[in-house]
Amino acid sequence: MEPAENADRAEGEVNPPVAAKKVFVKTYGCQMNVYDSQRMSDALAVDGYAGTDRIEDADLVLLNTCHIREKAAEKVYSELGRIRDLKAERASRGLETVIGVAGCVAQAEGREIIRRQNAVDLVIGPQTYHRLPEALRKARNGEKVVETDYAIEDKFEHLPQPRKAEVIGRGVTAFLTVQEGCDKFCTFCVVPYTRGSEVSRPVAQIVAEAERLAEAGVREVTLLGQNVNAWHGEGPDGGEWGLGRLLLRLAEIPGIARLRYTTSHPRDMDDELIEAHRDLAALMPYLHLPVQAGSDRILKAMNRRHKAADYLKLVERIRAVRPDMAMSGDFIVGFPGETDADFEATLELVRTVQYAQAFSFKYSPRPGTPGADMTDHVAEAVKDERLQRLQALLGEQQQDFTAAMAGRTISALIDKPGRQPGQLVGRSPWLQPVIVDETAGEIGDIIDVRITRTGRNSLFAEPI
Ligand code: 5AD
Ligand code: SF4
């Protein structure tokens, strides 16, 4: 899943009841956390909490955390130190502040968080968000609350559906979680431990949520899941549906013009899904399909359960049905045992695929994962050097991809005002910002534009 570090805080924009409490939510990590933050805000709005982006005004500060790499997890503790001071300062003015830690650090570390930072009142794991209002009541009564037991019941069934007013403030693109958790157990990854095993949301629930989003003006929906393409469910026809079939159904919803999904595992790209890329115009030609490494030896040690050649074949098949498909990926350098030759194989794979975008990381040993117990760890300096070389190559490919857009005619979904007055910003099918004059259309419109000039990342365009 693409990291959304420093992601926007989720704000529950509702008409607050008089003397409403205020909640400040800060989101770390992936898009699934962004989605969860919104759903928590929705649940809190029902309880009379209005969102704020001023932390010093917040009666409840909620950090939605990420545990994927050590750096991400450690950030939380430095932030908590600052929030503790804020809590003390507010207390001196007679104001109560509840500090809550949600997300994957909460799940992985539980009560340890309160041991390390006693100002924390509430620790709540990602599968138990529907218990947030109750946990909050206990915390406000002075109890230290830790809610990390996996709930048997489905959290989505118990979380309130977003209300129209809340969704409207959030723009014309939206995330929708359809699947959570992971059964793959890649040896570097904490996700199977923090998010639990794979669970798919039922078709009817997903369709209902997508319809609500569409009614609120959303034009583009990104389906989320740690293993989104492993999603499966029972269709209304009683048959077994995969993600490809689900996408076909969602494309029928009036108003929904664009669909995406992330993050996928190469092993779960089935024929039906590949065919959806051929048959479904609404399915955007952009696929985040992490491979992590290009050496078969390392892929095996990572327990990815496919070879480099399988991945390349898959990319070829996808591009055969959708020639304008842009590929995005995730890479890890310096996994235990990675030699220079293994790393060269990663560079070779990258050269073959030609990525439009990619995220790359130094391997970070995570407690409790098999990788952390492997013996032949790679020196930090070697990881640094490999990461630099890989990022240089990926950066070049990304720029080539953007530069090649000059002169082309593409569609853009106008989604926000531009930074300069008189401009609007749209989104290309490949997730690039497209800058147009404000006369080009209105937010929510999908217009055809010609690219006149390309920037580092963005496209400048005129309507045709
Ligand atoms: N160290 C470094 N990167 C990791 N990722 C997951 N676990 C680790 C780890 N222990 C990366 C993978 C994954 C992305 C979300 O984060 O590339 O696809
Ligand atoms: Fe982690 Fe692998 Fe599951 Fe992705 S597929 S969440 S990398 S264990």
Side-chain angles (χ1 to χ4, degrees):
M1 182 145 307
E2 290 164 42
E5 265 164 39
N6 306 320
D8 288 347
R9 15 191 111 95
E11 291 159 49
E13 287 173 28
V14 282
N15 294 332
V18 189
K21 294 254 170 220
K22 293 209 170 98
V23 55
F24 174 91
V25 184
K26 181 161 180 173
T27 308
Y28 300 83
C30 65
Q31 293 108 326
M32 191 164 298
N33 270 6
V34 175
Y35 174 86
D36 278 344
S37 289
Q38 286 177 346
R39 296 303 297 272
M40 282 191 276
S41 300
D42 296 337
L44 290 165
V46 173
D47 257 26
Y49 279 83
T52 176
D53 51 11
R54 290 171 46 90
I55 190 169
E56 55 284 6
D57 293 345
D59 306 285
L60 168 63
V61 176
L62 204 52
L63 302 186
N64 194 4
T65 60
C66 172
H67 200 246
I68 196 92
R69 287 169 293 275
E70 193 182 354
K71 232 165 131 187
E74 281 308 311
K75 255 192 222 164
V76 172
Y77 286 101
S78 47
E79 184 69 17
L80 283 173
R82 283 192 288 276
I83 299 169
R84 171 203 52 204
D85 298 345
L86 195 81
K87 179 174 180 167
E89 188 278 323
R90 278 175 54 94
S92 72
R93 291 187 283 136
L95 298 171
E96 175 198 61
T97 316
V98 174
I99 304 180
V101 177
C104 295
V105 177
Q107 188 61 44
E109 300 187 7
R111 193 163 291 279
E112 175 65 20
I113 296 172
I114 297 176
R115 249 193 298 270
R116 272 184 73 172
Q117 180 48 266
N118 195 251
V120 172
D121 303 288
L122 168 63
V123 175
I124 187 157
Q127 273 74 21
T128 47
Y129 291 155
H130 52 289
R131 298 198 201 137
L132 180 58
E134 175 61 25
L136 189 55
R137 269 187 287 278
K138 288 190 202 157
R140 294 193 57 201
N141 280 330
E143 211 180 299
K144 295 276 184 198
V145 185
V146 180
E147 279 277 8
T148 51
D149 282 346
Y150 283 0
I152 315 284
E153 68 269 49
D154 176 4
K155 80 171 181 188
F156 297 109
E157 253 173 59
H158 292 80
L159 277 171
Q161 279 284 343
R163 290 184 292 196
K164 196 167 167 180
E166 287 149 18
V167 178
I168 281 174
R170 288 179 188 156
V172 296
T173 63
F175 294 133
L176 200 177
T177 295
V178 301
Q179 180 281 336
E180 252 198 85
C182 183
D183 296 333
K184 299 280 190 302
F185 290 93
C186 299
T187 52
F188 52 82
C189 188
V190 286
V191 165
Y193 312 95
T194 53
R195 290 275 177 170
S197 55
E198 281 177 22
V199 176
S200 293
R201 286 179 78 183
V203 175
Q205 231 184 66
I206 295 166
V207 170
E209 190 166 329
E211 282 171 347
R212 293 185 82 108
L213 293 171
E215 279 163 24
V218 168
R219 308 295 321 273
E220 176 178 308
V221 176
T222 303
L223 306 184
L224 298 181
Q226 262 98 24
N227 254 298
V228 73
N229 59 343
W231 178 90
H232 59 96
E234 192 186 316
D237 49 3
E240 175 76 4
W241 281 17
L243 190 67
R245 184 68 191 79
L246 180 68
L247 286 161
L248 294 180
R249 172 66 187 88
L250 295 175
E252 289 170 6
I253 297 173
I256 303 287
R258 288 176 157 198
L259 292 164
R260 305 174 184 279
Y261 59 93
T262 195
T263 286
S264 295
H265 192 288
R267 296 257 310 194
D268 293 321
M269 284 308 295
D270 63 14
D271 294 347
E272 197 184 38
L273 186 51
I274 295 174
E275 281 157 20
H277 280 287
R278 181 192 63 200
D279 301 336
L280 199 55
L283 188 52
M284 291 293 102
Y286 180 101
L287 181 62
H288 186 65
L289 191 64
V291 64
Q292 313 295 354
S295 141
D296 286 342
R297 219 172 55 80
I298 296 299
L299 286 170
K300 185 153 200 258
M302 287 176 163
N303 192 32
R304 295 289 292 179
R305 299 186 297 136
H306 66 78
K307 297 202 158 122
D310 301 323
Y311 181 84
L312 294 174
K313 216 177 294 155
L314 187 57
V315 172
E316 223 171 80
R317 281 184 61 206
I318 296 164
R319 282 183 167 152
V321 301
R322 194 72 215 238
D324 61 346
M325 178 66 76
M327 296 301 303
S328 157
D330 289 341
F331 294 90
I332 295 177
V333 300
F335 188 76
E338 187 185 70
T339 62
D340 282 338
D342 291 322
F343 175 63
E344 287 301 328
T346 298
L347 295 179
E348 198 45 44
L349 179 142
V350 170
R351 284 188 206 105
T352 308
V353 173
Q354 296 283 331
Y355 286 91
Q357 195 177 19
F359 302 91
S360 47
F361 312 97
K362 289 191 282 180
Y363 172 67
S364 162
R366 307 307 291 130
T369 61
D373 294 330
M374 291 179 184
T375 47
D376 36 2
H377 283 271
V378 173
E380 213 47 36
V382 175
K383 286 187 200 170
D384 281 328
E385 199 247 355
R386 288 179 187 166
L387 186 67
Q388 252 181 35
R389 286 182 58 200
L390 176 60
Q391 290 189 337
L393 177 62
L394 290 167
E396 242 171 66
Q397 294 190 347
Q398 185 174 350
Q399 264 172 281
D400 290 350
F401 180 78
T402 306
M405 294 278 152
R408 286 184 57 180
T409 298
I410 65 166
S411 84
L413 165 60
I414 304 181
D415 71 335
K416 58 185 173 206
R419 253 185 241 144
Q420 314 282 347
Q423 284 182 343
L424 289 169
V425 182
R427 212 182 239 217
S428 82
W430 306 278
L431 289 175
Q432 299 137 308
V434 182
I435 294 145
V436 291
D437 190 83
E438 67 183 354
T439 55
E442 283 177 20
I443 290 178
D445 288 351
I446 296 176
I447 56 171
D448 282 333
V449 297
R450 202 180 68 85
I451 310 300
T452 52
R453 184 162 67 82
T454 64
R456 235 191 115 71
N457 236 318
S458 28
L459 310 173
F460 297 83
E462 55 189 24
I464 48 170

